[in-house]
Amino acid sequence: MSARSKARKRALDILYQSDVRGDDVASTLAAEAKRAASEPARETSWLYAREIVDGVIDNRDEIDEQIVTHAKDWKLERMPAVDRAILRLAVWELLFNDEVPAAVAIDEAVELAKEFSTDDSGSFVHGVLARIARSS
C-alpha cells in the first residue's frame, strides 16, 4: 500500500472519529498529531493525512455543499458517517489538490468505501464523486 493510500486511511480515521464522537476535527487531529510524533516510521503518511484533514477543516462548507448538491436526494446527516468522511476527504482531493488526478482520488475513495462501509457505499461514493469531478 502506498504512503498516500495509508495517509487517506489515517485521514479517514480522524474525520470519522471526530464525526462519530461529535468532537471538533481540529481536536481529534491534535490528539493524532501527538500519537504520530512517536511513530517516525509513519511520518510520510502522517504528513499527507494532516494535509487532507487540514484541507477539509479549511474548506468544510464548500466541500459539504458539493456533496449535498451532487448526492441526489441524500442529506448529509442521513449518510453513514464513514461515507461522509470518505466523501469529504475525496472532495478535498478533487477540488483542492492539483497533484492528485481525479481518477485516482475517486478510485481510492471507492476502495475505502468498499473496505469500511456498506455493500452499496462503493457505488454511491463513485456516483457522487464522478458528478463532482464532471462539474468542476
Side-chain angles (χ1 to χ4, degrees), residues 6 10 13 32 35-36 39-47:
K6 290 176 187 174
R10 286 181 92 164
D13 289 344
E32 182 65 18
R35 193 169 67 162
E39 301 173 335
R42 296 173 64 186
E43 182 179 4
T44 304
S45 69
W46 163 245
L47 293 175

Side-chain angles (χ1 to χ4, degrees), residues 21-97:
R21 291 183 177 175
D23 293 341
D24 179 62
V25 179
S27 299
T28 306
L29 180 62
E32 182 65 18
K34 275 187 181 180
R35 193 169 67 162
S38 67
E39 301 173 335
R42 296 173 64 186
E43 182 179 4
T44 304
S45 69
W46 163 245
L47 293 175
Y48 189 57
R50 181 176 196 122
E51 184 179 346
I52 293 169
V53 175
D54 281 338
V56 170
I57 291 168
D58 292 345
N59 301 285
R60 178 84 170 258
D61 291 340
E62 185 175 348
I63 289 168
D64 285 356
E65 182 181 321
Q66 288 290 318
I67 294 168
V68 170
T69 298
H70 294 91
K72 293 202 177 186
D73 301 324
W74 275 88
K75 292 184 180 193
L76 209 53
E77 308 82 45
R78 283 190 52 228
M79 293 176 195
V82 70
D83 291 0
R84 269 194 308 270
I86 292 167
L87 286 168
R88 285 174 173 150
L89 75 87
V91 171
W92 176 80
E93 283 191 314
L94 284 172
L95 301 181
F96 300 100
N97 188 347

